[in-house]
Amino acid sequence: MLWMLRTRWLLTCTAVSTAVLIYLAFQDTRPVIAAAQEGWGNVTGQVVYAADPLPERKPIPDVKEPACLAKGNILTEQWVVDPKTRGVRWVVVFLKPPKGQSLPIHPVLQKPDKDFVTIDHPTCAFHPHVVTMRVGQKLLALNPMTIAHNVVITGFRNNFNIQLPPGGKHEFDLQPETYRPLPVKCGAHSWMSGYLWMFDHPYYAVTDETGHFTIKNAPAGTWNLVVWHEAIGYLGGAAGRDGKPVEIKAGQTTDLGKIELKPTQ
């Protein structure tokens, strides 16, 4: 009798464990299955400056070192606007899932195509001005100049102050710190500034010289789109931190048209 009770108990535990594992597996794969059934699409648009007059980039008066001026004046970078198209450069655009959820990721985008992203110092300015990367990638800082620079990164989980000697480089192994801008500065040159963004998915972009952006192979459905620029913060103010819903259609490119920015929003 005792061995029969033990056998029943073991069978019951096995059945419960199996059911729990099946349930968890279904929960983990459900978003991917749903996206695979509905498909994937692209999102494109253009961020434009919606005020007059258009801002002009001017030489930074604090720049005095001959090495910094060897390739010409160092210009302001807070507002970089194309006068022909009114397009705004260096705007970060990304999809953001609801709190506690994650975005399904297209099979070809499961891993980044590079192990690192690069921030360079071809002159006494960071290039690119806004760096974006995925969690797990490393940040490689380069200094091809004949003078030293400092790379200062300030965040909640990432705080660095690394000197780059002439011709030097440094590889940063960053802790995950997603959905917020991390300021990047140079301790040796006060005007040098930029921003670093980290994401746990591949659905982000930085606008080009004419304000255009494209996010490829995004999951079809309705997701929130966030727009951020260093001069105004999130488009829409504090509420804009979570973005606005956009519908991504399977097998199509969803064109959001012109997204307007104003200097006071």
Side-chain angles (χ1 to χ4, degrees), residues 49 56 68 125 140 146 149 151 153 175 206 209 213 230 261:
Y49 192 85
E56 296 181 16
C68 294
L140 178 62
T146 58
H149 290 288
V151 179
I153 300 175
Q175 296 297 312
V206 180
E209 296 89 343
F213 68 90
E230 65 175 281
L261 291 189

Side-chain angles (χ1 to χ4, degrees), residues 144-165:
M145 297 189 67
T146 58
I147 59 175
H149 290 288
N150 278 45
V151 179
V152 182
I153 300 175
T154 307
F156 292 130
R157 303 185 66 188
N158 296 282
N159 286 279
F160 297 93
N161 187 344
I162 303 297
Q163 185 177 42
L164 290 182

